[in-house]
Amino acid sequence: MTTRIPLNFGWEFTSSFDESFLAGKGSFDPVDLPHCGVATPFHYFSEEIYQMRAGYRRTIPVPEALAGKRLLLTVGGAAQRVTVWVNGEKAAVHACGYTALTVELTPFVTPGRDLLLVLEVDSRENLDQPPFGYVVDYLTYAGLYREVTLEVREESFLADVFVMPALPEDVALPENAAMEDAAGTRFTGRVTCRVTCDGNKGTLLRQRVLDQETVIVEGEFAPGKETSLSVPEAKLWDPLSPALYTLETELWDGNTLLDRNRTRFGFRRAVFQKDGFFLNGRRFLLRGLNRHQSWPYVGYAMPASQQRLDADILKMELGVNAVRTSHYPQSHAFIDRCDELGLLVFTEIPGWQHIGGAEWQAQAVRNTEDMVRQYRNHPSIILWGVRINESEDDDALYEKTNAAARREDPTRATGGVRKHKKGAFQEDVYTYNDFSHDGKAPGCEPKKAVTPDMNRAYLISEFNGHMFPTKSWDDEAHRLEHALRHARVLNSVAAAGDIAGCFGWCAFDYNTHKDFGAGDHICYHGVADMFRNSKLAGAVYASQGSEKPVLAISSAMNIGDHPEGITGTVYAFTNADEVRFYKNDTLIRTFTRADSPFHALPHGPIAIHDLIGDQLKEEGFAPRQERYVKSLLNYTALHGFKNLPFKILFRAAWLMLRYRMTFDDAYALFGKYCGNWGTAGLRYRFEAVRDGKAVKCVTVEPLAEPHLTVTPDRTDLSEGETFEVVSLRARVTDKNGNTLPYYNGEAEVTVSGPLVPYGNRRCLIRGGTGGVYLRTTGQTGPVQVTLSLPDADAVQVDLTVR
Ligand code: GAL
């Protein structure tokens, strides 16, 4: 039987690897995995600081009892090339920073003698391997940034189990399926499986399908052939209700059990067609974001807790139904959580625009094979990206990567991200970065303008991004335009009818190279900041997908934040049916879906375009006069007095001629109903209303003093295969809970109890949002964390490490 031994604690680390380190000499910094080779500042640093040949060293006792066993080491992820040395001998080299390496240590080991394991990790960006060779818009970091495991195996063992679950053709959810439809669907599922054994022994495979821990069906098979089990009363894996099963496979030799493997899977049918993406029989519009796997300070080096949290944030806070793991395969902990949540994944081989020489290309093909083999049991993955992101056509290379993906996984479609139209098309899906929306142009290009083949599927893999970088502290008009651009693209894609979906660039801001970003080595392209705090644009996504009530208002109603004091139209981002708008507790107007210019979206942003409502009634105007005065006042309140459109000018003239109204009249009315200058205690309230009930409320009023709120992602921590990290997200708000976008500061963090800062000791706050990370230390007990700012009440968070 296989024993899995996590090897994450107690490594020795050097940032300058040399022969003496290899020989086991000297003492070096103790570190745990995941580990970032060098902690990075928040911003204003260069990738030069992590160019290194680092070394990780560990002694592993190999008792006599292990004679006859086989030892396999798996390195989950090392940035960017890892060489494995065992007792001074080179055992393997892995030239990919984003796939796992499994290497057999057995030939290098003598039972009864300790084994000296050294992992040399090279992070220099001149390596001849993807993604290197030219510029790259993301940092590639350093270190052994994912977990390492040792497996002690029998002489013969289960090397790989590839599960291909299938459902009958006639199982189909209705359009607009609800959770009950998905959860209630039952069918006879079929599990076909390719089992690869290593070693000479093994006469029988025994397999069983488990629902939780209940065995549903079992069967026996001869090794070497595809196995097949039929699962009665099977449940669907669907974003609405992602049922997961376990396939247990055993390798027997006569009456001896040699190995047992457990693989999680789900029954779903994911098909890309010319008219879109179909999941479990119904058309399913992919509404996703691109995710980089980096965090402030620690780069890629986050343990499972934070990897999983990102999936939760994407699905539950940002409301997306899909994620693209740009531009490389990401942690299994992240994808496992996508499986559990029903979050669909488009994953791809590492790379960025550049295609290198023969060795480089051979590695890209190997990366495709490794990616597919290592990730193909995840039900959440629906598409393999087999081209280097945004590279030129290269028929020979992409024939190979497509063939590799199809050979290793005949069940899934291939795609590959391009920045060019009508290119060579060896994949099943034409995936294209459509950056055509510039604020004025339509949200996206029509399918026929981009793909060379209308009979195959078309997907937009990126949009926005560099077209409109947006910081949390940009002015209000900028933050609103950022959100509206995302809404316009989502709306155009939904309206198109023949596009499989789109992935916005991107989920989270990220550190990057000098050629990109705002000059401080950050790309502010996220709909959330680097600490995963949502910007306004995040509410565009949240309001499409979330079940929880969402209401975000685009304006703090301060004219001074806008050139010439012109606020423009205010928008409500909500999934409610309507929004009630109050001024000092007087209901001005109820805005409905009819007030959203985004007709193709179920929950398009609603325009709050009327600040007056029925208030003019008290003036005793004639009906038309009232209508015209109202439109004039509303227009000027939102868009200013200059460049009035013809309609408004005509109405003004008409009011003057017909009703003898003067400019002074208009000015006085403006002051009374719109200006509000000098008005004491002016307060606006927006209520999101669902089924007639107010479910969420935003109150905006002039308030000065800041309030700090701190949200830990969990309050109970426990170490498992490695240390655990808790993120504390901080927000500085007014007393009504509205983020103060121009608040910058640094909260002091004091910790009493067994947690220590991970990355940075202070909680940086930019644009009213920020965060800090703490990690476990091996000790247990209660923890009190206090965050304090000079001008706000301190906040205490109570946590427990078990
Ligand atoms: C794309 C690229 C992404 C990112 C984005 C910014 O061209 O694929 O990695 O750089 O632009 O908008």
Side-chain angles (χ1 to χ4, degrees), residues 137-138 292 324 326-327 352-353 389-390 417 419 433 435 462-467 505 510 516 523 525:
D137 176 17
Y138 53 93
H292 268 305
R324 171 170 170 235
S326 47
H327 300 294
W352 208 84
Q353 295 194 349
N389 171 63
E390 290 196 332
V417 172
K419 61 179 163 47
N433 292 347
F435 290 111
E462 289 180 34
F463 59 89
N464 278 355
H466 65 277
M467 297 300 287
W505 189 267
Y510 54 99
F516 306 90
C523 260
H525 296 175

mmCIF file of all heavy atoms in Angstrom, residues 137-138 292 324 326-327 352-353 389-390 417 419 433 435 462-467 505 510 516 523 525, ligand 1:
data_model
loop_
_atom_site.group_PDB
_atom_site.id
_atom_site.type_symbol
_atom_site.label_atom_id
_atom_site.label_comp_id
_atom_site.label_asym_id
_atom_site.label_seq_id
_atom_site.Cartn_x
_atom_site.Cartn_y
_atom_site.Cartn_z
ATOM 1 N N ASP A 137 3.820 39.765 -18.849
ATOM 2 C CA ASP A 137 3.051 40.645 -17.968
ATOM 3 C C ASP A 137 2.570 39.912 -16.717
ATOM 4 O O ASP A 137 1.385 39.761 -16.471
ATOM 5 C CB ASP A 137 1.852 41.256 -18.703
ATOM 6 C CG ASP A 137 0.992 42.090 -17.749
ATOM 7 O OD1 ASP A 137 1.490 42.440 -16.665
ATOM 8 O OD2 ASP A 137 -0.172 42.358 -18.073
ATOM 9 N N TYR A 138 3.500 39.435 -15.950
ATOM 10 C CA TYR A 138 3.235 38.948 -14.595
ATOM 11 C C TYR A 138 4.586 38.563 -14.034
ATOM 12 O O TYR A 138 5.534 38.352 -14.800
ATOM 13 C CB TYR A 138 2.263 37.768 -14.542
ATOM 14 C CG TYR A 138 2.567 36.549 -15.397
ATOM 15 C CD1 TYR A 138 3.287 35.472 -14.889
ATOM 16 C CD2 TYR A 138 2.106 36.467 -16.707
ATOM 17 C CE1 TYR A 138 3.542 34.345 -15.670
ATOM 18 C CE2 TYR A 138 2.350 35.347 -17.495
ATOM 19 C CZ TYR A 138 3.074 34.286 -16.972
ATOM 20 O OH TYR A 138 3.330 33.187 -17.740
ATOM 21 N N HIS A 292 -4.632 35.426 -11.685
ATOM 22 C CA HIS A 292 -3.216 35.128 -11.450
ATOM 23 C C HIS A 292 -3.111 34.571 -10.036
ATOM 24 O O HIS A 292 -3.850 34.977 -9.145
ATOM 25 C CB HIS A 292 -2.351 36.388 -11.569
ATOM 26 C CG HIS A 292 -1.800 36.593 -12.943
ATOM 27 N ND1 HIS A 292 -1.062 35.626 -13.586
ATOM 28 C CD2 HIS A 292 -1.881 37.650 -13.801
ATOM 29 C CE1 HIS A 292 -0.701 36.083 -14.782
ATOM 30 N NE2 HIS A 292 -1.193 37.296 -14.948
ATOM 31 N N ARG A 324 -10.508 31.614 -15.662
ATOM 32 C CA ARG A 324 -9.395 31.164 -16.505
ATOM 33 C C ARG A 324 -8.130 31.279 -15.673
ATOM 34 O O ARG A 324 -7.852 32.335 -15.101
ATOM 35 C CB ARG A 324 -9.286 32.022 -17.765
ATOM 36 C CG ARG A 324 -8.031 31.762 -18.580
ATOM 37 C CD ARG A 324 -8.088 32.463 -19.931
ATOM 38 N NE ARG A 324 -6.815 32.423 -20.611
ATOM 39 C CZ ARG A 324 -6.157 33.500 -21.068
ATOM 40 N NH1 ARG A 324 -6.665 34.719 -20.911
ATOM 41 N NH2 ARG A 324 -5.006 33.363 -21.687
ATOM 42 N N SER A 326 -5.101 32.074 -15.923
ATOM 43 C CA SER A 326 -4.104 32.742 -16.746
ATOM 44 C C SER A 326 -2.812 32.825 -15.948
ATOM 45 O O SER A 326 -2.849 33.253 -14.801
ATOM 46 C CB SER A 326 -4.578 34.138 -17.096
ATOM 47 O OG SER A 326 -5.057 34.767 -15.912
ATOM 48 N N HIS A 327 -1.705 32.550 -16.521
ATOM 49 C CA HIS A 327 -1.475 31.910 -17.819
ATOM 50 C C HIS A 327 -0.696 30.631 -17.592
ATOM 51 O O HIS A 327 0.374 30.448 -18.140
ATOM 52 C CB HIS A 327 -0.680 32.838 -18.747
ATOM 53 C CG HIS A 327 -1.351 34.132 -19.030
ATOM 54 N ND1 HIS A 327 -2.534 34.220 -19.747
ATOM 55 C CD2 HIS A 327 -1.041 35.408 -18.723
ATOM 56 C CE1 HIS A 327 -2.887 35.480 -19.864
ATOM 57 N NE2 HIS A 327 -2.010 36.233 -19.237
ATOM 58 N N TRP A 352 3.594 33.429 -22.567
ATOM 59 C CA TRP A 352 3.088 34.787 -22.795
ATOM 60 C C TRP A 352 3.680 35.342 -24.097
ATOM 61 O O TRP A 352 4.837 35.781 -24.113
ATOM 62 C CB TRP A 352 3.442 35.705 -21.618
ATOM 63 C CG TRP A 352 2.451 36.811 -21.451
ATOM 64 C CD1 TRP A 352 1.261 36.770 -20.789
ATOM 65 C CD2 TRP A 352 2.564 38.144 -21.976
ATOM 66 N NE1 TRP A 352 0.629 37.976 -20.860
ATOM 67 C CE2 TRP A 352 1.391 38.839 -21.577
ATOM 68 C CE3 TRP A 352 3.508 38.813 -22.745
ATOM 69 C CZ2 TRP A 352 1.161 40.177 -21.916
ATOM 70 C CZ3 TRP A 352 3.280 40.132 -23.082
ATOM 71 C CH2 TRP A 352 2.114 40.810 -22.663
ATOM 72 N N GLN A 353 2.910 35.242 -25.141
ATOM 73 C CA GLN A 353 3.213 35.791 -26.466
ATOM 74 C C GLN A 353 4.407 35.164 -27.183
ATOM 75 O O GLN A 353 4.341 34.869 -28.368
ATOM 76 C CB GLN A 353 3.380 37.319 -26.413
ATOM 77 C CG GLN A 353 2.082 38.028 -26.032
ATOM 78 C CD GLN A 353 2.102 39.525 -26.281
ATOM 79 O OE1 GLN A 353 3.142 40.107 -26.554
ATOM 80 N NE2 GLN A 353 0.942 40.158 -26.189
ATOM 81 N N ASN A 389 -0.320 31.796 -24.560
ATOM 82 C CA ASN A 389 -1.207 32.953 -24.553
ATOM 83 C C ASN A 389 -0.736 34.033 -25.527
ATOM 84 O O ASN A 389 0.411 34.484 -25.466
ATOM 85 C CB ASN A 389 -1.253 33.548 -23.140
ATOM 86 C CG ASN A 389 -1.992 34.882 -23.086
ATOM 87 O OD1 ASN A 389 -3.175 34.933 -23.365
ATOM 88 N ND2 ASN A 389 -1.272 35.952 -22.758
ATOM 89 N N GLU A 390 -1.623 34.396 -26.444
ATOM 90 C CA GLU A 390 -1.413 35.511 -27.379
ATOM 91 C C GLU A 390 -0.196 35.348 -28.283
ATOM 92 O O GLU A 390 0.388 36.338 -28.718
ATOM 93 C CB GLU A 390 -1.302 36.833 -26.625
ATOM 94 C CG GLU A 390 -2.619 37.277 -26.000
ATOM 95 C CD GLU A 390 -2.612 38.737 -25.597
ATOM 96 O OE1 GLU A 390 -1.530 39.257 -25.296
ATOM 97 O OE2 GLU A 390 -3.691 39.351 -25.610
ATOM 98 N N VAL A 417 -5.354 30.785 -26.578
ATOM 99 C CA VAL A 417 -5.716 32.203 -26.610
ATOM 100 C C VAL A 417 -4.887 33.008 -27.607
ATOM 101 O O VAL A 417 -3.666 32.989 -27.584
ATOM 102 C CB VAL A 417 -5.627 32.787 -25.186
ATOM 103 C CG1 VAL A 417 -5.811 34.292 -25.205
ATOM 104 C CG2 VAL A 417 -6.681 32.115 -24.322
ATOM 105 N N LYS A 419 -4.410 36.840 -29.866
ATOM 106 C CA LYS A 419 -4.753 38.253 -29.935
ATOM 107 C C LYS A 419 -5.040 38.622 -31.377
ATOM 108 O O LYS A 419 -5.260 39.790 -31.681
ATOM 109 C CB LYS A 419 -3.654 39.121 -29.330
ATOM 110 C CG LYS A 419 -2.296 39.032 -30.000
ATOM 111 C CD LYS A 419 -1.335 39.974 -29.285
ATOM 112 C CE LYS A 419 0.131 39.715 -29.563
ATOM 113 N NZ LYS A 419 0.539 39.525 -30.939
ATOM 114 N N ASN A 433 -8.730 37.265 -27.283
ATOM 115 C CA ASN A 433 -8.766 38.402 -26.373
ATOM 116 C C ASN A 433 -9.324 39.612 -27.116
ATOM 117 O O ASN A 433 -8.643 40.192 -27.958
ATOM 118 C CB ASN A 433 -7.364 38.692 -25.823
ATOM 119 C CG ASN A 433 -6.877 37.596 -24.893
ATOM 120 O OD1 ASN A 433 -7.661 36.739 -24.457
ATOM 121 N ND2 ASN A 433 -5.591 37.599 -24.574
ATOM 122 N N PHE A 435 -10.145 43.155 -27.068
ATOM 123 C CA PHE A 435 -9.955 44.430 -26.371
ATOM 124 C C PHE A 435 -10.547 45.579 -27.183
ATOM 125 O O PHE A 435 -10.061 46.692 -27.132
ATOM 126 C CB PHE A 435 -8.464 44.667 -26.100
ATOM 127 C CG PHE A 435 -7.895 43.747 -25.053
ATOM 128 C CD1 PHE A 435 -6.980 42.763 -25.382
ATOM 129 C CD2 PHE A 435 -8.283 43.862 -23.729
ATOM 130 C CE1 PHE A 435 -6.448 41.917 -24.422
ATOM 131 C CE2 PHE A 435 -7.766 43.016 -22.750
ATOM 132 C CZ PHE A 435 -6.854 42.046 -23.091
ATOM 133 N N GLU A 462 -10.358 37.257 -22.853
ATOM 134 C CA GLU A 462 -10.001 38.447 -22.069
ATOM 135 C C GLU A 462 -10.701 39.663 -22.657
ATOM 136 O O GLU A 462 -10.918 39.723 -23.870
ATOM 137 C CB GLU A 462 -8.485 38.730 -22.117
ATOM 138 C CG GLU A 462 -7.624 37.763 -21.361
ATOM 139 C CD GLU A 462 -6.135 38.114 -21.466
ATOM 140 O OE1 GLU A 462 -5.792 39.309 -21.518
ATOM 141 O OE2 GLU A 462 -5.327 37.172 -21.500
ATOM 142 N N PHE A 463 -10.978 40.630 -21.816
ATOM 143 C CA PHE A 463 -11.402 41.964 -22.267
ATOM 144 C C PHE A 463 -11.098 42.962 -21.152
ATOM 145 O O PHE A 463 -10.800 42.573 -20.025
ATOM 146 C CB PHE A 463 -12.888 41.977 -22.654
ATOM 147 C CG PHE A 463 -13.823 41.577 -21.534
ATOM 148 C CD1 PHE A 463 -14.335 42.526 -20.653
ATOM 149 C CD2 PHE A 463 -14.180 40.251 -21.364
ATOM 150 C CE1 PHE A 463 -15.192 42.153 -19.613
ATOM 151 C CE2 PHE A 463 -15.036 39.871 -20.330
ATOM 152 C CZ PHE A 463 -15.542 40.818 -19.455
ATOM 153 N N ASN A 464 -11.132 44.225 -21.485
ATOM 154 C CA ASN A 464 -10.837 45.364 -20.585
ATOM 155 C C ASN A 464 -9.365 45.433 -20.188
ATOM 156 O O ASN A 464 -8.580 45.928 -20.965
ATOM 157 C CB ASN A 464 -11.747 45.364 -19.362
ATOM 158 C CG ASN A 464 -13.085 45.993 -19.721
ATOM 159 O OD1 ASN A 464 -13.251 46.489 -20.831
ATOM 160 N ND2 ASN A 464 -14.035 45.966 -18.833
ATOM 161 N N GLY A 465 -8.978 44.983 -18.994
ATOM 162 C CA GLY A 465 -7.565 44.996 -18.601
ATOM 163 C C GLY A 465 -6.890 46.330 -18.874
ATOM 164 O O GLY A 465 -7.280 47.371 -18.333
ATOM 165 N N HIS A 466 -5.849 46.257 -19.733
ATOM 166 C CA HIS A 466 -5.047 47.461 -19.985
ATOM 167 C C HIS A 466 -5.851 48.580 -20.648
ATOM 168 O O HIS A 466 -5.394 49.718 -20.700
ATOM 169 C CB HIS A 466 -3.847 47.112 -20.879
ATOM 170 C CG HIS A 466 -4.273 46.665 -22.246
ATOM 171 N ND1 HIS A 466 -4.651 45.380 -22.511
ATOM 172 C CD2 HIS A 466 -4.392 47.351 -23.401
ATOM 173 C CE1 HIS A 466 -4.989 45.272 -23.785
ATOM 174 N NE2 HIS A 466 -4.839 46.461 -24.345
ATOM 175 N N MET A 467 -7.042 48.269 -21.163
ATOM 176 C CA MET A 467 -7.835 49.320 -21.793
ATOM 177 C C MET A 467 -8.305 50.347 -20.766
ATOM 178 O O MET A 467 -8.616 51.480 -21.115
ATOM 179 C CB MET A 467 -9.052 48.713 -22.510
ATOM 180 C CG MET A 467 -8.718 47.781 -23.645
ATOM 181 S SD MET A 467 -7.778 48.601 -24.942
ATOM 182 C CE MET A 467 -9.038 49.636 -25.698
ATOM 183 N N TRP A 505 -10.561 40.616 -17.862
ATOM 184 C CA TRP A 505 -9.221 40.783 -17.324
ATOM 185 C C TRP A 505 -9.293 41.869 -16.290
ATOM 186 O O TRP A 505 -9.508 43.004 -16.659
ATOM 187 C CB TRP A 505 -8.214 41.149 -18.435
ATOM 188 C CG TRP A 505 -6.825 41.079 -17.851
ATOM 189 C CD1 TRP A 505 -6.119 42.094 -17.299
ATOM 190 C CD2 TRP A 505 -6.027 39.888 -17.731
ATOM 191 N NE1 TRP A 505 -4.928 41.619 -16.814
ATOM 192 C CE2 TRP A 505 -4.846 40.277 -17.062
ATOM 193 C CE3 TRP A 505 -6.201 38.553 -18.093
ATOM 194 C CZ2 TRP A 505 -3.839 39.362 -16.762
ATOM 195 C CZ3 TRP A 505 -5.197 37.666 -17.798
ATOM 196 C CH2 TRP A 505 -4.023 38.073 -17.144
ATOM 197 N N TYR A 510 -2.254 42.719 -9.740
ATOM 198 C CA TYR A 510 -1.092 41.846 -9.566
ATOM 199 C C TYR A 510 0.200 42.604 -9.802
ATOM 200 O O TYR A 510 0.257 43.537 -10.594
ATOM 201 C CB TYR A 510 -1.185 40.631 -10.511
ATOM 202 C CG TYR A 510 -1.381 40.994 -11.969
ATOM 203 C CD1 TYR A 510 -0.305 41.020 -12.868
ATOM 204 C CD2 TYR A 510 -2.644 41.321 -12.457
ATOM 205 C CE1 TYR A 510 -0.497 41.358 -14.199
ATOM 206 C CE2 TYR A 510 -2.840 41.662 -13.788
ATOM 207 C CZ TYR A 510 -1.766 41.677 -14.651
ATOM 208 O OH TYR A 510 -1.960 42.037 -15.975
ATOM 209 N N PHE A 516 4.991 46.757 -17.862
ATOM 210 C CA PHE A 516 3.541 46.790 -17.671
ATOM 211 C C PHE A 516 3.240 47.536 -16.381
ATOM 212 O O PHE A 516 4.135 47.909 -15.651
ATOM 213 C CB PHE A 516 2.991 45.359 -17.581
ATOM 214 C CG PHE A 516 3.389 44.506 -18.752
ATOM 215 C CD1 PHE A 516 4.566 43.768 -18.717
ATOM 216 C CD2 PHE A 516 2.615 44.488 -19.896
ATOM 217 C CE1 PHE A 516 4.958 43.012 -19.802
ATOM 218 C CE2 PHE A 516 2.996 43.725 -20.986
ATOM 219 C CZ PHE A 516 4.180 42.981 -20.947
ATOM 220 N N CYS A 523 -0.139 45.942 -11.935
ATOM 221 C CA CYS A 523 -1.192 46.098 -12.938
ATOM 222 C C CYS A 523 -2.495 46.254 -12.176
ATOM 223 O O CYS A 523 -2.930 45.325 -11.484
ATOM 224 C CB CYS A 523 -1.284 44.852 -13.841
ATOM 225 S SG CYS A 523 -0.473 45.092 -15.411
ATOM 226 N N HIS A 525 -5.497 46.095 -12.966
ATOM 227 C CA HIS A 525 -6.529 45.653 -13.906
ATOM 228 C C HIS A 525 -7.635 44.869 -13.211
ATOM 229 O O HIS A 525 -8.581 44.444 -13.852
ATOM 230 C CB HIS A 525 -5.909 44.734 -14.976
ATOM 231 C CG HIS A 525 -4.899 45.409 -15.842
ATOM 232 N ND1 HIS A 525 -4.167 44.735 -16.792
ATOM 233 C CD2 HIS A 525 -4.496 46.697 -15.909
ATOM 234 C CE1 HIS A 525 -3.345 45.572 -17.399
ATOM 235 N NE2 HIS A 525 -3.527 46.770 -16.875
HETATM 236 C C1 GAL B 1 -3.396 40.578 -22.452
HETATM 237 C C2 GAL B 1 -2.559 39.507 -21.765
HETATM 238 C C3 GAL B 1 -2.723 39.530 -20.267
HETATM 239 C C4 GAL B 1 -2.657 40.932 -19.745
HETATM 240 C C5 GAL B 1 -3.704 41.738 -20.422
HETATM 241 C C6 GAL B 1 -3.822 43.150 -19.904
HETATM 242 O O1 GAL B 1 -2.879 40.884 -23.685
HETATM 243 O O2 GAL B 1 -2.918 38.255 -22.247
HETATM 244 O O3 GAL B 1 -1.740 38.741 -19.670
HETATM 245 O O4 GAL B 1 -1.401 41.466 -20.003
HETATM 246 O O5 GAL B 1 -3.417 41.789 -21.807
HETATM 247 O O6 GAL B 1 -4.919 43.750 -20.475
#
